[in-house]
Structure formats: C-alpha cells, structure tokens
Amino acid sequence: LSTNPQVVVLLLSLLGLAAGGKLLVVPVDGSHWLSMREVLDLLRQKGHEVVVVAPEVTLHIKPVKNLVMKMYPVPFTQEEMDEVFQGFTTDLFEEGSFLQRVFRLYQRSKKTSALFLATCTHLLHNKELIRYLEESKFDAILTDPILPCGQIVAEHLSLPSVYFLQQIPCSLEYQATQCPNPPSYVPRVFTDHTDRMTFLQRVRNLLLDIPNFFLCNVVFQPYAQLASEFLGRDVTVPDLLRQGSIWLMKVDFVLQFPKPLMPNMVLISGVNCASKKLNQ
C-alpha cells in the first residue's frame, strides 16, 4: 500500500459504502409491528436511515420520534378498525369443532382482509407518496409478508426485500421458497400434531390441509389482482414473495417442532422478548 497511494485513496473512498443505508419499511399492524419496532430502533442506532410508511388509522403503528413516518389516509375510522380486530380475537379463541373454527375464521378473514386490502389500495394509489418513494433512492425494503403490500411496493421500486415474519397463512413461505413441506412431517394449523405423527395422524394432517386453499384464495387473490393492475403485468402472490432476499423467521426449534428450511431463512426467535428481561 505504501508504494501505491492510488490504492489507498480508492480504499478510503470505499469506506463510505459501509455507512448507514436507507431502509424503507412497510409494516403490518398489530403485534407484527411491536416486534419490528424493536429492530428498527437498533437499526437507527447503528446509523441507518429508516422511513416507515403506514396508514393514518392503525392499532399500534403510531408516530415515533426517532423514525421518519410517512402516513397516508384510508377510508375507515379508528372505531371501525377496533371493532374488526376485537371480533377477530374473540373468534380466534372461541372453542368449537374443527369445521366451526374454520368457518368462523373464514368469515372473519373476509372482513379483516377487506380492511387490509383497502389500506394497501390507498397506499398504491397515493400518487404523491409513491412519487416520494420513487425519488428517495432506498437501498432495501423491510416488510412483513403476511400481507404482500410491501412486496408490491418493492417490485415497483426494484428494491431487494428483507422479510420479517413468524409464518404466513397456508404455508405460502414454503411455496414461495420451494421449501419442502410434507404433510407427513410438518403439522398443519389446528391439528395439534407434533412432527412425530402416527399413520392416521399423517392422513388427518393431509386432509385438514385442504381448507387452507380456500382460506388463502379469500385472503390473497385480491392482492394478486391489485398487484397485476399496479405493476402492469400478471403476477401471483407466490411470484411476489419469491423475490424476497432474506426471510427473518421469528421461530426457534427449541420451542417449536423442527421443519425444513431454505438457506435464506434465518431463525431469530426471541426478538419479541427484547423489552423483557427474562430470569434464568
């Protein structure tokens, strides 16, 4: 290096590449936001510029002093949102047979999906906000793919995506990443099975996976239509999710059954406890 000053200058100029980046965040409201907020605080402390895009009417996403918040209007009130989520919580914990629980979840999913879809639609149709995002030159986008609105924005802006999630309904994370998800090994929702099943449990696990396709069609098909209209080409929700670079999974095999993973799936369980000091 002492004999080549030009190399030294070049290396010093590259130090700027290690500076903080500019991160666009499209979160999902509710408990999804509470754990993500912990991560954003740490990213900001490390020198990254964080810009959060969220609707004006939310459950937990409120303006934060240390984060840049870009809020946009939506066509419903705070009272309407609170009623939808209180009803969802009641239905989720109400007991009943498997078919009763699936039917309740189906009906409630239609209501909550309509609300979230309206939120996403008003984001994508907000020309002033979209223009701001296009001009801001972000380095990456952080989003929760349980609802694919953030990924639609990422596709429009041609940004690499980092997903922050626990799981997606109907195991779409497996389909999007082409990760093995055999019903003889990975338990399905509502079965109460473990990863060690008898033959009859494996058969039941397979049969009970069928209603998931109907639930997913209700929740995700409108997003595929919205994305196709906004992006100007036919896309499906798995197509959108397939573009994700890193999947940060809020699970851990210490507390949950082991299951197949892909190389870009990283287990980060414990982030939900960031604000709690656990005893030994």
Side-chain angles (χ1 to χ4, degrees):
L1 291 179
S2 61
T3 61
N4 196 337
Q6 290 84 359
V7 175
V8 176
V9 173
L10 176 61
L11 292 176
L12 290 176
S13 66
L14 292 177
L15 290 178
L17 298 178
K22 194 169 185 180
L23 182 67
L24 173 62
V25 180
V26 182
V28 172
D29 203 0
S31 60
H32 301 267
W33 164 250
L34 298 180
S35 55
M36 180 179 282
R37 187 179 60 191
E38 300 281 354
V39 176
L40 298 183
D41 288 339
L42 292 174
L43 289 173
R44 185 194 57 79
Q45 292 173 20
K46 291 181 178 294
H48 300 288
E49 182 180 351
V50 178
V51 177
V52 179
V53 174
E56 292 178 348
V57 178
T58 64
L59 290 174
H60 297 300
I61 305 176
K62 306 301 179 185
V64 181
K65 180 177 62 175
N66 296 324
L67 298 176
V68 177
M69 305 289 291
K70 293 294 181 179
M71 315 295 284
Y72 59 92
V74 287
F76 51 83
T77 65
Q78 187 69 53
E79 290 74 19
E80 290 173 326
M81 167 168 268
D82 292 342
E83 188 280 328
V84 168
F85 278 92
Q86 289 171 2
F88 184 85
T89 302
T90 301
D91 290 345
L92 191 62
F93 290 100
E94 186 175 343
E95 296 182 354
S97 67
F98 173 79
L99 291 179
Q100 289 174 330
R101 294 162 67 189
V102 168
F103 181 76
R104 286 199 307 267
L105 183 60
Y106 175 81
Q107 294 295 328
R108 185 58 64 176
S109 295
K110 290 198 298 184
K111 294 182 180 180
T112 54
S113 297
L115 185 144
F116 278 121
L117 182 65
T119 299
C120 184
T121 301
H122 278 70
L123 165 59
L124 299 179
H125 290 173
N126 191 316
K127 295 183 179 180
E128 182 179 351
L129 178 56
I130 293 297
R131 188 180 306 112
Y132 163 80
L133 298 179
E134 292 171 343
E135 296 173 352
S136 295
K137 305 300 180 183
F138 292 97
D139 296 306
I141 184 170
L142 175 67
T143 186
D144 189 326
I146 191 172
L147 294 176
C149 194
Q151 189 53 35
I152 298 175
V153 175
E155 282 290 293
H156 177 69
L157 300 178
S158 299
L159 291 176
S161 305
V162 178
Y163 295 152
F164 185 82
L165 72 155
Q166 185 168 16
Q167 62 182 7
I168 305 179
C170 313
S171 302
L172 280 185
E173 66 267 37
Y174 292 98
Q175 183 178 347
T177 58
Q178 296 183 316
C179 182
N181 186 33
S184 61
Y185 181 73
V186 180
R188 295 326 192 223
V189 178
F190 295 144
T191 62
D192 296 327
H193 293 160
T194 70
D195 57 306
R196 298 184 179 183
M197 292 176 276
T198 65
F199 174 76
L200 292 180
Q201 286 175 330
R202 296 175 198 275
V203 173
R204 180 172 180 264
N205 199 50
L206 175 63
L207 295 176
L208 295 184
D209 195 31
I210 296 175
N212 285 335
F213 295 102
F214 299 102
L215 289 174
C216 275
N217 187 61
V218 171
V219 175
F220 291 114
Q221 184 57 34
Y223 284 95
Q225 296 175 354
L226 177 62
S228 299
E229 295 171 1
F230 181 72
L231 298 174
R233 54 187 173 85
D234 291 336
V235 294
T236 65
V237 171
D239 289 337
L240 292 170
L241 298 179
R242 203 166 286 130
Q243 305 305 316
S245 299
I246 298 293
W247 294 67
L248 301 179
M249 314 287 291
K250 296 183 288 183
V251 298
D252 196 306
F253 294 162
V254 173
L255 300 177
Q256 295 170 309
F257 51 83
K259 53 186 176 182
L261 296 175
M262 297 302 280
N264 61 340
M265 290 178 167
V266 183
L267 302 185
I268 57 167
S269 177
V271 68
N272 297 317
C273 304
S275 59
K276 303 287 187 180
K277 186 175 181 180
L278 302 180
N279 58 32
Q280 188 63 35

